[in-house]
Amino acid sequence: MGGVLFSEPMGHAGAGATHASAGTLKMFNETRGGARSPFTMPKMNHSRRSFLRVLGAAGAGAPILARAERLEAALPPRPDHLGFEAASPASVRRLRDSYFLSPDLIYLNHASIGTVPRPVHEAHAGYLELCETHPSLYVWGGVWREVTEDTRAAAARLLNCRSDDLAITHNTTEGFSILAQGLDLDSGDEVLFSSLNHAGAAVAWDELAPRRGFTVRRFDFPLERAPDLTVDEVVALHVDAIRPETRVLIIPHIDNMIGMTHPIREIALAARDRGVEFVFVDGAQSAGMISVDLSVAGVDAYAMSGHKWLQSPKGLGLFWASERLQAVVPRMWFKTGGDRVDMTARKYEDYSTRAWPAVVAFGDALAFQASIGAQEKERRYRALWTLVHGRTTADARLHWGSPVDPALRSVIMAVGVRGRTAPELGPMLLERHGAVLRAFGGRLNTLRISPNQMTEDQELERFLDVLTSNSS
Ligand SMILES: Cc1ncc(COP(=O)(O)O)c(C=O)c1O
């Protein structure tokens, strides 16, 4: 469960993977400069074309169908297999070229907000245009419901869960708002999380606790021990914090400060042994970066934001709830109308007017990430971690603040510069060197480096050179 990314021996993952030809990569590269998209074979895209079928069935007239068909034909085909090779700098370069990201930046802030690949953006723009040809039909006519079910199925494959238990929401914060508003907590009940928990997974509980009478408790995570921690120790830290009144435990799958991959299955099992009724996981930083398998996680809910590691259009997320939880947590949005959905986790996304073009483009984002290949992605992230960790620990001017245990680490890395404060360094690095990252002050006092699979080694090397030259 999770952690697969870093716990496999180096050089093992990806063995036996098939790669597309050099021709494929050339086509991929040719996406630049506004040319129509890239990828492999010009493949009929069944999922996207389903909305034409729905249009036909809905009795849309011939001119509308013809226009929709023309616009759809201009959309980039969803990629199948990009032929990305993690070990090839040329391949990483080509991947980098399929983004709009400014060449003037060293963008190491993917954990805050990712960037949409060109083909996903082009598809999104196409859906927007289509939508505006006949807004009432496209927004109210149910035209994009079927393709949204295909997207839900793709997301379910990514998280290894049932489609019926998955809602396409706006972001992680919304998932936790659904939970905090819907769960029947009372005085005497406690919600517990560590100081690594993000505000997005905490704020709804904090706000509602005084009104409803339950309590929220944060235990202090020993940041300074992070590089030496083992899985058993991380589990023990959580279990030791549990009290008889703890009814809910919230765990970030990967936290946003030191990038620790929490052993969620082990923590959930141990927490249940201690009488915790619900375990909720903040997946904002995990889906799209590491393998997630909700079928064996033993947790009750998982919420994430697509705009980070899935590089979807902004304002899209996923919320997974176990069947048991769906039975006790009602819908958060109120809505009238004959098409109201009250069954399955779909009820959590059943708000009224919806930004359908973005929702449909979420399917393109999932397809793009899948086409990179999970194994090559993992291999690339291991290589990036090795580069940053190796240089940081070899240089007395820098210090390392993230977990090192392969089962606990991720590609979110905390690096400090001796003699300098991180909040002072952050803005200077942006202004003088175009480096975009987050700085954490206080006890941590580290810069958070969060590259993506398309970040080139040379960008990171350049950034680390800058860091060492700014030590004092
Ligand atoms: C771990 C974690 N949880 C939750 C959030 C909140 O995400 P959103 O604002 O998309 O709801 C973030 C955002 O950075 C995060 O890193």
Side-chain angles (χ1 to χ4, degrees):
M1 171 71 246
V4 176
L5 170 48
F6 293 99
S7 53
E8 285 177 8
M10 291 290 287
H12 173 73
T18 54
H19 301 302
S21 65
T24 303
L25 289 174
K26 184 168 169 287
M27 283 160 70
F28 179 30
N29 202 22
E30 282 166 359
T31 65
R32 302 209 61 202
R36 247 204 58 207
S37 249
F39 303 101
T40 51
M41 297 132 269
K43 191 163 86 78
M44 173 81 166
N45 190 318
H46 296 285
S47 60
R48 191 176 298 128
R49 288 189 190 276
S50 68
F51 65 72
L52 283 179
R53 200 168 56 238
V54 179
L55 265 180
I64 289 168
L65 272 172
R67 180 181 298 276
E69 200 152 5
R70 259 199 324 278
L71 279 168
E72 184 173 310
L75 291 168
R78 281 183 175 167
D80 181 14
H81 181 66
L82 284 189
F84 175 67
E85 292 177 64
S88 157
S91 187
V92 175
R93 165 108 279 230
R94 285 184 206 104
L95 187 61
R96 174 73 159 80
D97 282 347
S98 68
Y99 291 82
F100 296 97
L101 204 52
S102 166
D104 306 321
L105 295 178
I106 305 176
Y107 194 80
L108 302 173
N109 203 24
H110 293 271
S112 282
I113 194 140
T115 179
V116 176
R118 285 170 192 269
V120 177
H121 175 80
E122 286 168 13
H124 187 189
Y127 304 140
L128 281 164
E129 189 177 336
L130 195 53
C131 184
E132 296 316 316
T133 60
H134 192 334
S136 55
L137 175 68
Y138 283 101
V139 174
W140 303 118
V143 175
W144 281 329
R145 290 243 175 81
E146 197 174 316
V147 75
T148 300
E149 288 310 309
D150 294 337
T151 299
R152 193 186 317 281
R157 283 193 295 279
L158 179 81
L159 302 178
N160 203 18
C161 64
R162 292 182 344 141
S163 288
D164 281 351
D165 301 336
L166 206 51
I168 301 173
T169 53
H170 295 95
N171 51 45
T172 310
T173 307
E174 179 173 305
F176 279 90
S177 298
I178 293 168
L179 291 168
Q181 311 223 44
L183 202 63
D184 191 14
L185 293 181
D186 247 320
S187 60
D189 293 335
E190 180 185 83
V191 177
L192 175 70
F193 40 77
S194 85
S195 52
L196 284 182
N197 194 38
H198 189 277
V203 65
W205 309 96
D206 286 336
E207 297 254 348
L208 290 169
R211 273 196 256 161
R212 303 244 303 269
F214 63 85
T215 54
V216 174
R217 185 163 54 90
R218 290 168 170 74
F219 69 92
D220 193 36
F221 193 89
L223 291 169
E224 46 297 316
R225 286 176 56 201
D228 303 318
L229 284 172
T230 64
V231 169
D232 287 348
E233 286 167 338
V234 173
V235 175
L237 283 166
H238 286 78
V239 171
D240 291 350
I242 293 168
R243 291 179 184 159
E245 61 271 26
T246 310
R247 232 180 122 195
V248 175
L249 176 66
I250 297 171
I251 327 166
H253 198 174
I254 298 178
D255 74 274
N256 75 315
M257 289 186 258
I258 56 170
M260 186 175 83
T261 302
H262 289 58
I264 55 175
R265 179 178 152 81
E266 291 80 355
I267 297 172
L269 276 172
R272 289 201 200 281
D273 272 355
R274 287 286 185 104
V276 172
E277 200 178 337
F278 296 107
V279 180
F280 301 144
V281 174
D282 174 350
Q285 301 289 356
S286 61
M289 191 219 285
I290 64 169
S291 304
V292 178
D293 186 351
L294 293 176
S295 73
V296 297
V299 303
D300 300 281
Y302 175 98
M304 61 81 64
S305 304
H307 61 253
K308 296 175 190 287
W309 302 96
L310 290 179
Q311 301 180 322
S312 77
K314 280 68 179 162
L316 288 160
L318 295 170
F319 174 65
W320 172 84
S322 67
E323 268 187 289
R324 175 175 87 107
L325 194 72
Q326 290 168 41
V328 295
V329 172
R331 58 168 44 242
M332 183 172 74
W333 305 117
F334 295 102
K335 183 185 147 186
T336 58
D339 62 341
R340 179 172 144 144
V341 182
D342 276 314
M343 304 296 288
T344 77
R346 289 172 186 81
K347 68 185 175 190
Y348 302 121
E349 70 182 65
D350 188 31
Y351 45 86
S352 195
T353 307
R354 210 165 181 189
W356 284 111
V359 174
V360 179
F362 198 14
D364 292 81
L366 288 164
F368 187 91
Q369 293 304 315
S371 73
I372 290 172
Q375 287 184 324
E376 288 305 291
K377 186 184 275 206
E378 291 171 8
R379 181 182 273 188
R380 179 74 193 131
Y381 283 150
R382 273 201 300 273
L384 289 168
W385 186 92
T386 303
L387 192 166
V388 178
H389 177 257
R391 278 206 50 181
T392 304
T393 50
D395 193 323
R397 293 167 290 187
L398 304 178
H399 65 89
W400 179 262
S402 288
V404 174
D405 184 320
L408 297 177
R409 63 203 195 200
S410 79
V411 81
I412 298 176
M413 299 165 280
V415 172
V417 180
R418 296 197 196 279
R420 303 293 299 265
T421 71
E424 154 221 5
L425 275 174
M428 185 280 286
L429 290 167
L430 174 61
E431 199 179 308
R432 295 208 205 140
H433 306 282
V436 185
L437 41 72
R438 243 195 104 176
F440 287 96
R443 256 162 76 204
L444 197 52
N445 193 27
T446 47
L447 301 166
R448 185 189 66 187
I449 302 175
S450 56
N452 182 254
Q453 60 240 352
M454 51 74 157
T455 307
E456 296 183 83
D457 285 9
Q458 57 176 37
E459 288 180 277
L460 270 177
E461 297 274 13
R462 196 150 41 92
F463 170 74
L464 290 161
D465 289 345
V466 165
L467 269 197
T468 48
S469 67
N470 275 288
S471 63
S472 61

